[in-house]
């Protein structure tokens, strides 16, 4: 089967070529848009009316799939941080093949758009000092976002013991302005602080009240 380029236009993602099978140019059936990066576009030197054989069409389709994955990745990273794993998952959610999603994510890493060590350190510090979370909850959050375990451990250690202590004392002073009235209330407070990611050894010295 052969294809013909019927339209060419530029978008923010790159150069777009609308193509359809040569035997359906009048009806427009089977029309598809292929996306090219600017560099790919000038390499291929395509124009409206060009006839594309099946082999070249397959090659252009692969180029387009990768360009679409890269464009999607750049758009998402422009507004939020993503781990490599989470970015791949989000790209495939848009119907892009995993092979191309992985290649796009690797390109984002190579370009420095994804730096998991820097991202995890920034996120850990934010959740500690702004949300007053402890290590366990921060670790769970970072794991849920798909970050590498080594990066997570480094991020947790980048927050100082004094900062974790500050966060715990801050949340205790905000939520529990008076000592617990009884053992049950004390246990409820311990449970609440545990859900924020603090260990029993961290909680007991600041919770107030006495064991019965």
């Amino acid at each position: 089967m052969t294809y013909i380029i019927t339209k060419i236009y530029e978008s923010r993602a790159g150069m777009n070529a609308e193509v359809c099978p040569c035997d359906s140019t009048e009806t427009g059936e089977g029309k598809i848009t292929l996306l090219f990066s600017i560099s790919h576009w000038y390499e291929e030197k395509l124009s409206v009316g060009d006839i594309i054989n099946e082999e070249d069409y397959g090659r252009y389709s692969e180029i387009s799939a990768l360009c679409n994955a890269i464009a999607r990745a750049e758009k998402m990273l422009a507004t939020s941080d993503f781990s490599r794993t989470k970015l791949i998952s989000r790209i495939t959610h848009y119907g892009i093949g995993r092979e191309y999603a992985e290649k796009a994510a690797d390109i984002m890493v190579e370009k420095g758009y994804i730096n998991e060590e820097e991202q995890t350190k920034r996120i850990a510090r934010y959740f500690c000092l702004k949300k007053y979370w402890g290590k366990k909850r921060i670790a769970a959050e970072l794991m849920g976002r798909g970050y590498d375990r080594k990066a997570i451990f480094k991020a947790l250690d980048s927050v100082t013991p004094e900062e974790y202590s500050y966060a715990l004392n801050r949340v205790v002073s905000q939520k529990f302005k008076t000592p617990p009235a009884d053992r049950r209330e004390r246990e409820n407070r311990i449970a609440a602080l545990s859900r924020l990611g603090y260990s029993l050894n961290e909680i007991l010295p600041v919770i107030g009240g006495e064991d019965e």
Side-chain angles (χ1 to χ4, degrees):
M1 181 181 291
T2 57
Y3 301 81
I4 185 170
I5 298 177
T6 58
K7 183 179 180 181
I8 292 170
Y9 61 94
E10 187 174 0
S11 67
R12 292 179 65 181
M15 297 298 297
N16 299 267
E18 289 186 2
V19 303
C20 67
C22 288
D23 58 5
S24 62
T25 52
E26 293 184 3
T27 62
E29 292 181 6
K31 181 175 70 175
I32 188 170
T33 300
L34 299 175
L35 175 65
F36 296 82
S37 67
I38 298 298
S39 60
H40 276 126
W41 181 256
Y42 284 112
E43 283 177 12
E44 301 300 335
K45 299 182 175 66
L46 299 173
S47 303
V48 171
D50 283 355
I51 304 298
I52 302 172
N53 62 37
E54 195 161 359
E55 181 181 349
D56 282 339
Y57 177 78
R59 182 166 60 86
Y60 295 154
S61 295
E62 290 185 359
I63 291 172
S64 179
L66 179 57
C67 288
N68 271 302
I70 292 171
R72 180 65 63 179
E74 289 177 340
K75 184 176 181 180
M76 289 190 290
L77 288 168
T79 58
S80 184
D81 285 334
F82 288 90
S83 66
R84 179 183 180 277
T85 298
K86 184 63 72 173
L87 183 66
I88 291 169
S89 175
R90 290 292 298 275
I91 293 173
T92 57
H93 178 74
Y94 290 95
I96 296 172
R98 185 173 183 85
E99 174 188 356
Y100 303 108
E102 290 179 348
K103 287 181 180 179
D106 288 339
I107 290 171
M108 297 302 103
V109 172
E110 290 172 8
K111 289 184 174 181
Y113 297 162
I114 297 177
N115 185 321
E116 296 205 358
E117 284 196 15
E118 288 185 5
Q119 290 175 6
T120 50
K121 286 178 181 179
R122 184 167 63 250
I123 294 169
R125 183 164 299 279
Y126 170 81
F127 281 118
C128 175
L129 300 179
K130 299 298 183 181
K131 296 294 186 178
Y132 310 132
W133 288 5
K135 271 190 179 183
K136 292 180 181 179
R137 184 159 178 182
I138 294 172
E141 175 70 21
L142 292 173
M143 288 179 185
R145 296 188 183 198
Y147 285 106
D148 178 75
R149 286 180 176 272
K150 289 182 179 179
I152 292 174
F153 291 142
K154 287 183 179 180
L156 296 175
D157 288 341
S158 71
V159 181
T160 67
E162 291 76 18
E163 288 170 326
Y164 285 120
S165 178
Y166 161 81
L168 175 56
N169 280 281
R170 186 65 182 266
V171 75
V172 168
S173 67
Q174 288 184 349
K175 288 181 175 291
F176 313 122
K177 298 185 182 301
T178 60
D182 52 32
R183 181 173 182 176
R184 182 176 181 179
E185 184 179 345
R186 184 170 184 268
E187 290 176 349
N188 287 340
R189 293 184 182 187
I190 291 172
L193 294 171
S194 295
R195 289 192 293 271
L196 287 176
Y198 295 100
S199 68
L200 198 59
N201 287 339
E202 292 173 309
I203 294 169
L204 292 181
V206 299
I207 193 62
E210 298 291 337
D211 289 321
E212 294 182 6

